[in-house]
Amino acid sequence: MDGANTSTAAPVLILLGPPGAGKGTQARMLEDKFGLVQLSTGDMLRAAVAAGTDAGKAAKAVMEAGDLVSDEIVINILRDRLAEDDCAKGVILDGFPRTTVQAQALDTLLGESGQKINAAISLEVDDAAMVSRISGRYTCGSCGEGYHDSFKQPAKDGVCDKCGGTEMKRRADDNAETVGSRLEAYHAQTAPLIAYYGGKGALQKIDAMGAIEEIAEGLSAIVTKATA
Ligand code: ADP
Ligand code: ZN
C-alpha cells in the first residue's frame, strides 16, 4: 500500500476570515451539503459562558471586550470536542485556529489521529463592510440559523424560515465598539495564518463580498475538489 494515501481519512476544513466574513453561515451550508460537522469555538465558548463552567467564567469578559480567549482554554475545548464520535464524519473548523499556537496545536492533534487538513479557505472581505454586517446580524434561538436586518431577512418578520422559531437573539459582542477590537485581534493574531497555510500548500482563497448563495457555490466547488 502507498503510505501517502490518506484519502480515507475524514475531511478537515478550516474557514479563515475576519468576524462578519460569513464563516458561520457558510459552515452551516457545508455541514448540510457535505455531511460534515461544524465546530465553532465561538459557539462552544458562548455555551461555556451560559453554563457557567470554569472556562466560561474565564472567557466571558475577554469575549465581551472583543479580545481572544487564551490558547489554553480554546485548545482544550476543541480537543475534547474533536474526540467525540460525530467528528469521524469530518469537520469544518469555524473560528479555530485563531493564533499560530492554536494552528500548531491542531497540526499535532490531527497528526496523532492520522488526519490532515484538506483545505484552509480564506474568506476575503473588506474590513469596512464588516462593521455593518456584524451590527445587523441575529440568529434563531432554536436552530441557530443566521439572519441580518438588511442582507438576509426571514420571509415572515420574526419567524425563522428553517424551524418556525420566534425567538431571535443578538450576541452581546455584536456592537460597533466591540467589532473594532475583534477586527484588530483578527489582523494582529489570525491573519498571519493565511501565510501559515499558504506555506503548507493548503490555502484556498474565495471572494466573500458577494451574495451568500454565490459564495456558497464557490465554496462547494473548493470543498468538492479538496475532499475528492
Ligand atoms: P466572530 O468570528 O464573529 O468574531 P466567534 O463566534 O467565532 O465570532 O467568536 C466570538 C469570540 O469568542 C471571539 O471574539 C473570541 O473572544 C472568542 N473566540 C472564539 N474562538 C476563539 C479562538 N479560537 N481563540 C480565542 N478566542 C476565541
Ligand atoms: Zn430556526
Side-chain angles (χ1 to χ4, degrees), residues 18-21 123-131 133 183 187 207-209:
L123 278 65
E124 308 269 303
V125 293
D126 296 338
D127 257 26
M130 294 308 102
V131 179
R133 274 203 197 175
L183 285 171
H187 287 291
D207 175 358
M209 286 307 293

Side-chain angles (χ1 to χ4, degrees), residues 41-116:
T41 43
D43 285 349
M44 294 174 206
L45 289 167
R46 280 185 287 279
V49 170
T53 64
D54 288 344
K57 282 179 196 147
K60 189 170 190 279
V62 178
M63 292 173 75
E64 277 169 8
D67 296 327
L68 294 187
V69 174
S70 77
D71 288 329
E72 195 194 351
I73 290 181
V74 178
I75 291 166
N76 281 333
I77 288 188
L78 200 267
R79 179 189 295 116
D80 290 350
R81 182 64 187 89
L82 261 183
E84 286 175 37
D85 290 344
D86 60 334
C87 293
K89 293 190 270 186
V91 296
I92 313 150
L93 297 170
D94 157 14
F96 184 97
R98 247 177 168 93
T99 64
T100 306
V101 171
Q102 292 177 19
Q104 289 163 342
L106 177 64
D107 287 340
T108 305
L109 269 177
L110 294 176
E112 285 165 1
S113 54
Q115 285 175 284
K116 65 169 178 54

Side-chain angles (χ1 to χ4, degrees), residues 16 119-122 124 193-195 197-205:
L16 289 170
I121 309 167
S122 168
E124 308 269 303
L193 296 183
I194 294 175
Y197 289 113
K200 289 179 174 288
L203 184 69
Q204 302 275 350
K205 290 185 177 184

Side-chain angles (χ1 to χ4, degrees), residues 128-168:
M130 294 308 102
V131 179
S132 61
R133 274 203 197 175
I134 294 176
S135 333
R137 74 182 181 180
Y138 58 95
T139 51
C140 168
S142 311
C143 77
E145 183 71 0
Y147 294 99
H148 193 281
D149 293 328
S150 321
F151 312 129
K152 188 188 167 199
Q153 292 151 309
K156 188 164 184 282
D157 201 32
V159 182
C160 177
D161 293 338
K162 258 204 156 164
C163 78
T166 54
E167 217 172 289
M168 299 293 181

Side-chain angles (χ1 to χ4, degrees), residues 24-56:
T25 304
Q26 298 297 344
R28 287 170 65 86
M29 178 282 296
L30 293 172
E31 185 172 54
D32 290 347
K33 191 158 174 181
F34 293 89
L36 303 168
V37 178
Q38 173 193 9
L39 298 183
S40 158
T41 43
D43 285 349
M44 294 174 206
L45 289 167
R46 280 185 287 279
V49 170
T53 64
D54 288 344

